[in-house]
């Protein structure tokens, strides 16, 4: 289960809406081993595409060095889908290389009649996708 604050959910959704029609992407870091998302880090979608996201390799290297210096790890890796449901694509699955991370997808398309966005979380380990419950809290 992903436990995340409403404030972080709001930041992810706002980033997805701001970058629309391109996919938005980013990381929420937390203390190593805590499984608690705390520090919101929006990233540039280097692909600048409505159907694909890619972290800039230089930005990603700087981020991992910074997280290492702060004894953090990527607790959440998020991106948006602009025209499809919030479910990992084959490409998303092939690039998922953090087995301990929660992969959050936000869809800015109303694909299920449920409103103006979907917010879902998945674990992706060795190509296996498992959806998990999301618990939104005010504070930890």
């Amino acid at each position: 289960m992903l436990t995340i604050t409403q404030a972080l959910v709001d930041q992810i959704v706002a980033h997805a809406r701001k970058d629309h029609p391109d996919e938005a992407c980013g990381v929420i870091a937390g203390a190593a081993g805590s499984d608690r998302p705390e520090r919101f880090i929006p990233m540039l979608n280097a692909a600048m595409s409505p159907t694909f996201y890619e972290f800039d390799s230089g930005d990603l290297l700087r981020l991992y060095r910074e997280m290492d210096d702060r004894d953090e790890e990527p607790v959440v890796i998020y991106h948006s889908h602009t025209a499809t449901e919030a479910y990992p694509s084959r490409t998303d699955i092939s690039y998922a290389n953090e087995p301990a991370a929660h992969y959050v997808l936000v869809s800015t398309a109303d694909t299920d009649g449920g409103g103006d966005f979907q917010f879902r979380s998945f674990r992706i380990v060795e190509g296996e996708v498992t959806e998990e419950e999301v618990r939104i809290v005010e504070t930890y």
Side-chain angles (χ1 to χ4, degrees):
M1 174 189 327
L2 169 63
T3 300
I4 187 169
T5 64
Q6 183 66 58
L8 288 170
V9 170
D10 292 347
Q11 288 179 291
I12 292 170
V13 171
H15 185 200
R17 288 180 171 148
K18 181 179 82 60
D19 283 11
H20 188 88
D22 290 339
E23 290 191 2
C25 57
V27 172
I28 303 177
S34 73
D35 197 39
R36 183 190 292 190
E38 293 185 359
R39 189 165 63 94
F40 179 73
I41 308 157
M43 302 284 284
L44 172 69
N45 178 355
M48 295 185 182
S49 167
T51 59
F52 179 73
Y53 83 98
E54 181 177 35
F55 293 124
D56 176 83
S57 59
D59 290 347
L60 198 57
L61 180 61
R62 280 188 290 282
L63 172 61
Y64 272 80
R65 285 181 175 158
E66 179 182 305
M67 286 190 298
D68 190 49
D69 289 345
R70 296 170 63 125
D71 198 25
E72 292 176 328
E73 62 189 6
V75 176
V76 170
I77 298 171
Y78 74 88
H79 77 280
S80 63
H81 283 181
T82 61
T84 59
E85 72 172 319
Y87 191 86
S89 69
R90 284 190 303 269
T91 304
D92 297 338
I93 294 165
S94 70
Y95 285 139
N97 61 0
E98 289 288 348
H102 302 271
Y103 285 87
V104 165
L105 277 97
V106 173
S107 176
T108 53
D110 182 3
T111 58
D112 64 357
D116 59 350
F117 72 91
Q118 295 174 345
F119 187 99
R120 297 168 73 185
S121 183
F122 304 87
R123 294 293 188 144
I124 305 174
V125 180
E126 295 181 7
E128 186 79 24
V129 177
T130 306
E131 186 164 7
E132 62 182 350
E133 182 181 343
V134 176
R135 189 177 81 157
I136 301 172
V137 297
E138 287 305 312
T139 61
Y140 297 122

